[in-house]
Amino acid sequence: MNRKNDRAIDAFIRHKAERGLKSSGKRAFVVDFFIRANRHFTVEDLYNAVKARRPGISYSTVYRALRLLTECGIAAESMFGESVTRYEPIERSGHHDHLICRKCGRIIEFENLEIEKLQQRVARKYRFTVTAHRLELYGVCRECQRPARRR
Amino acid sequence: MNRKNDRAIDAFIRHKAERGLKSSGKRAFVVDFFIRANRHFTVEDLYNAVKARRPGISYSTVYRALRLLTECGIAAESMFGESVTRYEPIERSGHHDHLICRKCGRIIEFENLEIEKLQQRVARKYRFTVTAHRLELYGVCRECQRPARRR
DNA sequence: ATGAAATTGCAATTCATTTTCACTTTATTA
DNA sequence: TAATAAAGTGAAAATGAATTGCAATTTCAT
Ligand SMILES: [Mn+2]
Ligand SMILES: [Mn+2]
Ligand SMILES: [Zn+2]
Ligand SMILES: [Zn+2]
């Protein structure tokens, strides 16, 4: 998994080179932090997490870093039915889909090749070329089912 | 399909009763128009479509009508990776998922019981109770593949 | 060291959506 | 039917996430 982090960081360095971007300690810190912490960050989440360890980084920088990461395919955006966008590093985990708990907000990742195959079959039926997909299952996670439900 | 429209309209009338809402010609027109036109409306889309046939209906009214329709389960919201929410009547078509063409914006609907079963299996594996799901396949539709690609 | 170009933080802006509020309409009651 | 309470409406203001403009700062090839 350090391998994967390194690959992601290399990808970012390559991206910078291609686009003639310069280096910056602040951005590097954000990028690094994001890649290492394998989470589904809100901009606010990431901003707060980063700020705790290294003050003096602004929201703008976080927004801009996440945009770059998305552009070069290191980060993936999702919405999960909220009003804010979430970002997660994908270089390291490969494609997967999500179970989202509506009680505690937990996000569980899964992969299912059979489903992916069936998606291709559906697409073929409509002569549709799939370039991306999104599958989200919403509900209640294991932990949230245990405690006696009130109300 | 008139049956289904009628059922949706009845559902809305019931919802009004339950919540002590009053009647309004404008709202009724929006609701009616939305239910009849089986489309994936943007608020703007619906506002324009409605305004063409019956001027003097404001954005506020459209927004508010769509909120009510969503609350009582007649309309479903989706985002499809854009910055605006889309609404479609679901009472009439039942559950389905979507193929979204990134070139022309066309939205194709499909149902696949096998996929739904596999989703249940995934959920069971994680002891997760699914209450809703969302599957979207993005790409290029049949029609958009035909013309010689330029660039 | 110089200068062009990128980066940054802050404030201002954008854009979709929600809310506020004065006014109108509806429905219930006397 | 008149009075009244509550809901509906449009226009404007407010909100909230995300983007952008800009002056100051930093990077880096020369
Ligand atoms: Mn994930
Ligand atoms: Mn649909
Ligand atoms: Zn949970
Ligand atoms: Zn198309």
Side-chain angles (χ1 to χ4, degrees):
Chain A
M1 67 175 25
N2 257 316
R3 273 292 92 85
K4 281 187 182 171
N5 287 351
D6 291 351
R7 257 202 290 134
I9 288 169
D10 282 355
F12 186 70
I13 291 171
R14 243 175 289 124
H15 187 70
K16 273 197 326 189
E18 279 170 23
R19 312 232 329 211
L21 305 184
K22 296 179 176 172
S23 303
S24 132
K26 289 177 177 180
R27 182 172 59 198
F29 188 85
V30 175
V31 165
D32 225 66
F33 188 95
F34 173 76
I35 289 171
R36 272 198 242 283
N38 200 25
R39 291 177 43 199
H40 297 84
F41 280 110
T42 275
V43 174
E44 191 185 0
D45 291 346
L46 183 55
Y47 171 72
N48 288 325
V50 152
K51 198 177 54 172
R53 306 192 161 230
R54 183 161 157 177
I57 291 180
S58 72
Y59 262 105
S60 300
T61 294
V62 176
Y63 268 109
R64 292 194 265 232
L66 284 172
R67 184 198 287 173
L68 285 177
L69 288 165
T70 304
E71 280 170 9
C72 65
I74 296 171
E77 294 180 311
S78 359
M79 288 279 284
F80 298 150
E82 304 161 298
S83 59
V84 289
T85 304
R86 286 180 180 276
Y87 296 83
E88 62 171 323
I90 46 175
E91 186 85 4
R92 71 180 281 166
S93 45
H95 171 75
H96 58 258
D97 293 296
H98 297 103
L99 295 157
I100 298 118
C101 177
R102 285 210 156 122
K103 287 206 176 172
C104 70
R106 201 177 315 237
I107 296 168
I108 302 161
E109 305 184 336
F110 72 91
E111 289 178 59
N112 188 299
L113 274 300
E114 292 182 79
I115 292 179
E116 313 262 324
K117 268 184 219 149
L118 286 170
Q119 288 175 12
Q120 283 307 324
R121 188 173 305 167
V122 168
R124 219 172 303 128
K125 176 174 162 192
Y126 291 95
R127 306 273 188 280
F128 190 97
T129 305
V130 176
T131 57
H133 72 263
R134 177 181 299 290
L135 170 57
E136 290 149 16
L137 309 185
Y138 296 91
V140 184
C141 80
R142 184 178 178 170
E143 281 72 22
C144 289
Q145 277 162 20
R146 222 181 294 284
R149 239 85 65 254
R150 53 197 67 93
R151 275 214 93 255
Chain B
M1 68 175 26
N2 256 316
R3 272 292 94 82
K4 282 187 181 172
N5 288 351
D6 291 351
R7 257 202 291 135
I9 287 168
D10 281 355
F12 187 70
I13 291 171
R14 243 174 291 125
H15 186 70
K16 273 196 325 188
E18 278 170 23
R19 312 232 329 213
L21 305 183
K22 296 181 176 171
S23 304
S24 133
K26 288 176 178 181
R27 181 171 61 197
F29 188 85
V30 174
V31 165
D32 225 66
F33 188 94
F34 174 77
I35 289 170
R36 271 199 243 284
N38 199 26
R39 290 177 42 199
H40 298 84
F41 280 110
T42 276
V43 174
E44 191 185 2
D45 290 347
L46 182 55
Y47 170 72
N48 288 326
V50 153
K51 197 177 54 172
R53 305 193 162 229
R54 183 159 159 180
I57 291 180
S58 71
Y59 263 105
S60 300
T61 294
V62 176
Y63 268 107
R64 292 193 266 233
L66 283 172
R67 184 198 287 171
L68 285 177
L69 287 166
T70 304
E71 281 169 9
C72 67
I74 296 171
E77 295 179 311
S78 355
M79 287 281 285
F80 299 149
E82 304 161 298
S83 58
V84 289
T85 305
R86 286 180 181 276
Y87 296 82
E88 62 172 324
I90 46 175
E91 186 85 6
R92 71 180 280 169
S93 45
H95 171 74
H96 58 257
D97 294 296
H98 298 104
L99 295 158
I100 298 117
C101 177
R102 285 209 156 123
K103 287 206 173 171
C104 70
R106 204 177 312 238
I107 296 168
I108 301 161
E109 305 183 335
F110 72 91
E111 289 178 59
N112 187 300
L113 273 300
E114 291 182 78
I115 291 180
E116 314 263 322
K117 267 184 219 150
L118 286 169
Q119 288 175 12
Q120 283 307 323
R121 189 174 305 170
V122 168
R124 220 173 302 127
K125 176 175 163 193
Y126 292 94
R127 306 274 188 281
F128 191 98
T129 306
V130 177
T131 57
H133 72 263
R134 176 181 300 290
L135 170 58
E136 290 148 17
L137 308 184
Y138 296 92
V140 184
C141 79
R142 184 178 178 168
E143 280 71 23
C144 289
Q145 277 162 18
R146 222 181 295 285
R149 237 85 68 255
R150 54 197 66 93
R151 275 216 93 257

